[in-house]
């Protein structure tokens, strides 16, 4: 009886994958963040503060009382909005660090505030909105003047944004 019962239970464990879980697609298993000890974080590095990816602009460590932990005080800027955020964390604790990727795309055009970009492989994408402010103005001016520029796209935690532009020097003329 026990062995039969065991096989029935085993069968029910392995048939659970058929009940609506989708294991077909997916990414390479890369997480959007990874943990790092506070004391290992550096100025100019990235960190998650209030669930936003930020770049550290200022850091200071303070020693506390006799048996207290050293505390790390961080001032950081949100990499997408530019908003200033602060956090204080014991130096021995872990903080999440976002996996930030930069990629340059060639600007092709713009349609209804969405910009058309092409990467090095010739793949195009039209899913990014033209950013507000100075970078957005540079993109609009480049389209109006028919200049060839590269747009630097930053991606982290599933968000993407054009953060900078530069003149494309690799143009065949």
């Amino acid at each position: 009886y026990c062995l039969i019962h065991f096989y029935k239970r085993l069968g029910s464990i392995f048939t659970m994958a058929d009940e609506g879980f989708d294991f077909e697609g997916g990414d390479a298993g890369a997480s959007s963040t990874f943990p790092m000890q506070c004391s290992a974080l550096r100025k100019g590095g990235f960190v998650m503060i209030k669930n936003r990816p930020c770049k550290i602009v200022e850091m200071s460590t303070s020693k506390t009382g006799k048996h207290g932990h050293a505390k790390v005080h961080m001032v950081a800027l949100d990499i997408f909005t530019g908003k200033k955020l602060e956090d204080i964390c014991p130096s021995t604790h872990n903080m999440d660090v976002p996996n930030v990727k930069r990629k340059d795309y060639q600007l092709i055009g713009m349609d209804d505030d969405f910009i058309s970009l092409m990467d090095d492989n010739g793949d195009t994408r039209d899913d990014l909105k033209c950013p507000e402010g100075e970078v957005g103005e540079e993109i609009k001016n480049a389209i109006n003047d028919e200049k060839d520029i590269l747009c630097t796209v930053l991606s982290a935690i599933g968000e993407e944004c054009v953060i900078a532009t530069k003149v494309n020097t690799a143009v065949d003329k």
Side-chain angles (χ1 to χ4, degrees), residues 128-145:
L128 286 175
K129 225 174 167 51
C130 186
E132 306 277 315
E134 195 180 315
V135 177
E137 290 304 312
E138 286 173 17
I139 290 171
K140 288 172 186 161
N141 292 340
I143 289 171
N144 293 337
D145 303 343

Side-chain angles (χ1 to χ4, degrees), residues 32-155:
S32 58
T33 62
F34 61 93
M36 187 184 273
Q37 198 168 340
C38 272
S39 56
L41 295 169
R42 294 286 169 256
K43 187 177 169 180
F46 297 106
V47 69
M48 294 291 285
I49 297 178
K50 296 184 179 97
N51 288 325
R52 297 294 304 155
C54 301
K55 186 172 191 163
I56 302 167
V57 289
E58 227 175 278
M59 253 182 107
S60 59
T61 309
S62 62
K63 290 224 164 58
T64 53
K66 196 172 179 183
H67 298 293
H69 290 279
K71 298 243 190 307
V72 177
H73 176 248
M74 279 173 282
V75 179
L77 298 175
D78 188 310
I79 60 175
F80 296 122
T81 64
K83 215 166 108 181
K84 188 177 181 181
L85 296 162
E86 291 187 58
D87 201 2
I88 295 173
C89 165
S91 63
T92 54
H93 284 208
N94 282 346
M95 281 194 83
D96 282 334
V97 177
N99 278 318
V100 179
K101 290 190 190 83
R102 290 174 82 98
K103 191 168 182 183
D104 285 341
Y105 291 90
Q106 187 176 342
L107 179 67
I108 302 169
M110 185 161 72
D111 188 31
D112 290 336
D113 273 350
F114 282 90
I115 51 178
S116 294
L117 301 169
M118 183 172 69
D119 67 5
D120 299 337
N121 304 330
D123 299 324
T124 59
R125 59 182 297 182
D126 309 297
D127 58 338
L128 286 175
K129 225 174 167 51
C130 186
E132 306 277 315
E134 195 180 315
V135 177
E137 290 304 312
E138 286 173 17
I139 290 171
K140 288 172 186 161
N141 292 340
I143 289 171
N144 293 337
D145 303 343
E146 294 185 15
K147 272 193 209 154
D148 196 7
I149 63 167
L150 290 175
C151 296
T152 304
V153 176
L154 215 59
S155 61

